[in-house]
Amino acid sequence: MSIWSRITEAISALTSGEGLSAVFEKLRSPPERSVAFAIAVIALGAKMAKADGHVTRDEVTAFREVFQIAAQDEAGAARVFNLARQDVAGFEDYATRIHAMFADEEKTLTDLMEGLFHIAMADGFYHPNENAFLERVADIFNLSNQQFRALRMRFVPASRSDPYSVLGVDPAQSLEDIRRVWRQLVRENHPDAMMARGIPAEAVQLAEKRMRDINRAWDEIQKEAA
């Protein structure tokens, strides 16, 4: 059964009058967590799309890029998106429920934030309201300011690129220590490791950009040290 069939089942299980936010209470254990992850990115993405006042075709395309949505599954994804937009619950309620589900899995929350940044930048413009939205979500997720800045540097061209921040290291650390951090990040972001965290296979391509950014940062640091 595809993840979109499972998402349709999860949405259909909501009782009359329940908002989409209630679905997160029903998906707390594997394998349902991968369904919850997909719903979380789409639902928060829908709330974020309202932050800059409009939904663009590029943002819709970004959802397809994150999840490799097949033509036959687009209706299911659109249903989640529209339910989130219409839900009276605010994005902070969504983010709080999602954090409760993944509170012990910081890397999964970071994966989710990456999906949101990808969607935010789909139209080529990082709106100040999107920045405020993402800052608040990161705060609810208990991600540090350093973690948020590192994400923003990787996705927002206007942000100053700092390879040390991308790897989460201090420039004062030895090259060998930084190498160890880089190797650990490479291991943690292997597709198998991501799926073990509950990231649906359809979204594992999120790791492709992250791996490029991690390796590019390491290359820049090596060149600087040479």
Side-chain angles (χ1 to χ4, degrees):
M1 181 184 296
S2 76
I3 190 170
W4 297 105
S5 298
R6 290 158 60 199
I7 286 173
T8 298
E9 286 187 356
I11 299 302
S12 299
L14 294 174
T15 61
S16 178
E18 277 188 309
L20 182 60
S21 57
V23 80
F24 299 114
E25 300 299 322
K26 305 175 185 293
L27 301 171
R28 287 185 167 273
S29 59
E32 288 80 7
R33 280 192 170 195
S34 62
V35 177
F37 180 92
I39 292 176
V41 174
I42 295 174
L44 281 176
K47 294 292 189 184
M48 182 174 62
K50 296 175 67 176
D52 64 1
H54 63 286
V55 181
T56 69
R57 186 180 300 275
D58 289 328
E59 286 170 329
V60 175
T61 300
F63 283 111
R64 295 186 179 127
E65 290 175 352
V66 171
F67 289 107
Q68 301 176 323
I69 303 175
Q72 66 268 24
D73 295 321
E74 288 180 6
R79 186 182 179 197
V80 176
F81 187 90
N82 289 328
L83 280 172
R85 293 187 70 202
Q86 297 161 8
D87 196 346
V88 296
F91 79 89
E92 291 178 325
D93 181 48
Y94 278 37
T96 299
R97 290 173 186 251
I98 293 164
H99 177 254
M101 179 180 298
F102 296 111
D104 58 340
E105 299 177 34
E106 182 182 278
K107 292 183 178 62
T108 301
L109 293 172
T110 302
D111 294 331
L112 200 156
M113 287 293 298
E114 288 193 348
L116 294 177
F117 264 102
H118 180 76
I119 293 163
M121 290 304 302
D123 60 0
F125 178 66
Y126 189 57
H127 196 282
N129 289 347
E130 290 174 325
N131 183 70
F133 178 99
L134 290 169
E135 280 189 326
R136 179 58 182 143
V137 171
D139 183 55
I140 293 172
F141 286 177
N142 286 334
L143 300 183
S144 68
N145 289 335
Q146 180 186 41
Q147 289 171 306
F148 180 79
R149 286 196 302 272
L151 283 165
R152 189 168 57 193
M153 283 178 189
R154 289 177 44 221
F155 283 88
V156 182
S159 297
R160 184 172 65 86
S161 180
D162 177 2
Y164 296 95
S165 291
V166 170
L167 297 186
V169 297
D170 190 305
Q173 289 180 248
S174 70
L175 190 62
E176 188 54 40
D177 284 344
I178 295 174
R179 186 197 305 272
R180 279 194 286 268
V181 172
W182 166 69
R183 286 176 172 169
Q184 179 64 28
L185 288 171
V186 169
R187 286 194 295 270
E188 290 174 352
N189 292 291
H190 187 278
D192 289 344
M194 292 186 71
M195 284 190 283
R197 296 201 292 269
I199 308 306
E202 291 84 350
V204 167
Q205 65 173 327
L206 285 172
E208 294 177 5
K209 174 175 172 51
R210 186 187 304 175
M211 290 297 292
R212 288 196 301 271
D213 293 338
I214 288 169
N215 288 327
R216 184 183 300 115
W218 170 239
D219 287 343
E220 290 177 8
I221 290 171
Q222 287 187 100
K223 289 176 182 176
E224 183 179 308

